[in-house]
Amino acid sequence: MPLSVSRKKTRRITVGSVAVGGGAPISVQSMTNTKTDDVTATVGQIKQLAQAGCEIVRVAVPDRSAADAITRIKKQITIPLVADVHFDHRLAIASARSGADGLRFNPGNIGSRRHIKALVDCARDHRIPIRIGVNAGSLEKDILDAHKGVTAAGMVQSALRHATLLQELDFHDIKISIKASDVPRTLEAYRLLSQKTDLPLHVGVTEAGSLYSGIVKSALGIGTLLAEGIGDTLRVSLTRDPVEEIRVGYEILRALDIRHRGPEIISCPTCGRCDIPLFDIVDKVEKALMTRTTPVKLAIMGCVVNGPGEAREADIGVAGGCGVGILFKKGKVVKKFPEDRLVEVVLEAVDEFERYAETARTTFSETDRKS
């Protein structure tokens, strides 16, 4: 039975053109790793992210040149941009004036109430939201002392303290993130926070690490929270090309049957019966379809005997062996072809599926029988 996720009801805000919370689709975010004032490089990376499905992008603003660059960046991109500011509230103000669609600050290092008021007043004037981004590694000293170290309860206290401050300043376009680098503490913090507020939540595991450890931590942390109905927008953190973060984010959503974007590839792990270069074939298909958006389930199997039956739920599948390739749909073989055309045939089948996407799931399998 498919997983049924009942999402926590939260308030809705908008980041540029993207709705967050209030039942809006869970959006996928990332952050550039270019120098923000290198406008050409930053715009190029944002365009790659947008093509991969990124819906909100964040840029670091460590100095005034980065804040000023936002004006030029915004003119060349199509997705909302959030300015990430630490230590200096004046950089947040400069970013808002440069056209940022949102601001993110860390309560542990942004400064006094007077500084936060100036930041909030500017955000209100420009009608942009603020993300209160709590990180386990930068909690306020009084909270660390009170909790005798970094705890989930301390992180929640920091987040709610600043959310209350913003609300006291009559600012309500707020979302919160509350991240640790370990899964158990992240889960505990978000669960506790979700019980105490209806503000929209940005979920993630911060500093999750390299590809493998980062994917595992993010899948467990983000996936568990989403399965419990917690989270309105997400970012997967990897020490990697940020485009990989978008791919992992959508795979987490797909695995939970929450959102589906682009092809889903299922393939066998191979065994002694496999006599085709399956790893290479899967890699080529995956790269060729990386920017496709139509949901379609593909199976790439290494055994012409068992492959179709094992992947009978796939919309399209190919398998090969002994010099012969087969194309199958919903587990039924529809044609045979030379084995060296496996990649070509599956890509052609995807093209055809996309042309008839509205009715493909019910009528696509008939096309080969009639040809």
Side-chain angles (χ1 to χ4, degrees):
M1 293 293 291
L3 178 68
S4 177
V5 175
S6 178
R7 289 177 62 190
K8 164 78 181 288
K9 292 183 179 179
T10 56
R11 305 183 200 178
R12 177 173 292 196
I13 65 170
T14 57
V15 183
S17 59
V18 177
V20 175
I26 296 169
S27 52
V28 179
Q29 305 191 24
S30 186
M31 186 172 183
T32 58
N33 58 19
T34 58
K35 299 294 184 183
T36 303
D37 58 1
D38 184 343
V39 173
T40 299
T42 301
V43 168
Q45 190 169 80
I46 292 173
K47 288 182 175 179
Q48 290 176 343
L49 287 165
Q51 190 175 38
C54 181
E55 293 163 309
I56 300 172
V57 68
R58 184 157 44 108
V59 299
V61 183
D63 50 39
R64 186 56 188 262
S65 63
D68 292 343
I70 290 174
T71 300
R72 288 174 288 156
I73 294 169
K74 280 282 296 177
K75 291 177 180 177
Q76 302 177 65
I77 64 174
T78 58
I79 59 176
L81 180 149
V82 173
D84 186 90
V85 180
H86 293 261
F87 303 109
D88 192 341
H89 73 288
R90 293 170 297 181
L91 294 176
I93 292 171
S95 298
R97 291 172 176 168
S98 291
D101 298 294
L103 303 173
R104 183 264 182 172
F105 75 85
N106 187 326
N109 60 37
I110 201 63
S112 67
R113 181 186 178 103
R114 179 170 58 86
H115 291 165
I116 293 174
K117 183 179 185 305
L119 184 159
V120 165
D121 289 343
C122 182
R124 185 190 300 107
D125 290 343
H126 289 83
R127 298 181 178 180
I128 60 176
I130 292 174
R131 167 153 72 99
I132 299 170
V134 176
N135 277 352
S138 56
L139 287 179
E140 301 96 304
K141 185 177 185 305
D142 68 307
I143 291 178
L144 288 173
D145 291 342
H147 291 269
K148 296 181 173 55
V150 179
T151 66
M155 295 163 65
V156 171
Q157 181 183 346
S158 175
L160 293 180
R161 170 194 287 179
H162 283 80
T164 299
L165 173 56
L166 266 59
Q167 291 165 339
E168 289 174 350
L169 295 169
D170 196 28
F171 188 87
H172 305 281
D173 289 336
I174 306 166
K175 63 179 174 177
I176 299 177
S177 64
I178 185 166
K179 301 179 183 179
S181 58
D182 60 282
V183 173
R185 190 165 36 179
T186 297
L187 293 176
E188 183 183 356
Y190 273 107
R191 286 165 175 160
L192 180 60
L193 180 62
S194 180
Q195 294 170 5
K196 293 179 176 290
T197 185
D198 65 351
L199 292 172
L201 301 183
H202 169 105
V203 296
V205 180
T206 193
E207 300 161 355
S210 59
L211 184 64
Y212 295 113
S213 64
I215 288 175
V216 171
K217 286 183 180 181
S218 295
L220 287 171
I222 296 172
T224 299
L225 291 170
L226 295 180
E228 295 177 4
I230 299 170
D232 301 287
T233 182
L234 67 88
R235 186 230 172 155
V236 172
S237 295
L238 300 175
T239 307
R240 198 77 174 187
D241 182 337
V243 170
E244 300 285 352
E245 299 181 352
I246 301 302
R247 294 177 61 191
V248 176
Y250 278 108
E251 288 299 332
I252 293 172
L253 291 171
R254 190 204 308 272
L256 293 170
D257 199 25
I258 293 173
R259 289 187 69 183
H260 295 263
R261 183 186 190 277
E264 174 185 3
I265 297 177
I266 59 175
S267 57
C268 61
T270 74
C271 67
R273 290 188 295 271
C274 181
D275 64 355
I276 61 172
L278 191 66
F279 298 166
D280 182 57
I281 291 169
V282 171
D283 188 55
K284 287 179 179 178
V285 171
E286 188 174 47
K287 288 179 179 178
L289 299 177
M290 190 176 298
T291 61
R292 302 292 183 95
T293 59
T294 302
V296 55
K297 182 176 287 190
L298 305 179
I300 304 176
M301 310 299 285
C303 177
V304 294
V305 177
N306 295 325
E310 293 172 348
R312 62 172 50 89
E313 293 184 0
D315 297 304
I316 301 166
V318 290
C322 300
V324 176
I326 61 170
L327 174 69
F328 58 92
K329 297 167 185 177
K330 298 296 185 182
K332 296 182 179 180
V333 176
V334 294
K335 71 176 180 180
K336 296 182 179 181
F337 52 88
E339 183 185 281
D340 60 6
R341 294 188 60 229
L342 280 166
V343 173
E344 176 188 349
V345 168
V346 74
L347 295 180
E348 289 175 351
V350 172
D351 288 341
E352 184 177 359
F353 185 95
E354 289 184 335
R355 286 196 297 270
Y356 301 100
E358 291 298 320
T359 56
R361 292 189 181 275
T362 56
T363 63
F364 181 57
S365 61
E366 299 297 324
T367 56
D368 282 299
R369 298 190 187 113
K370 295 177 181 177
S371 62

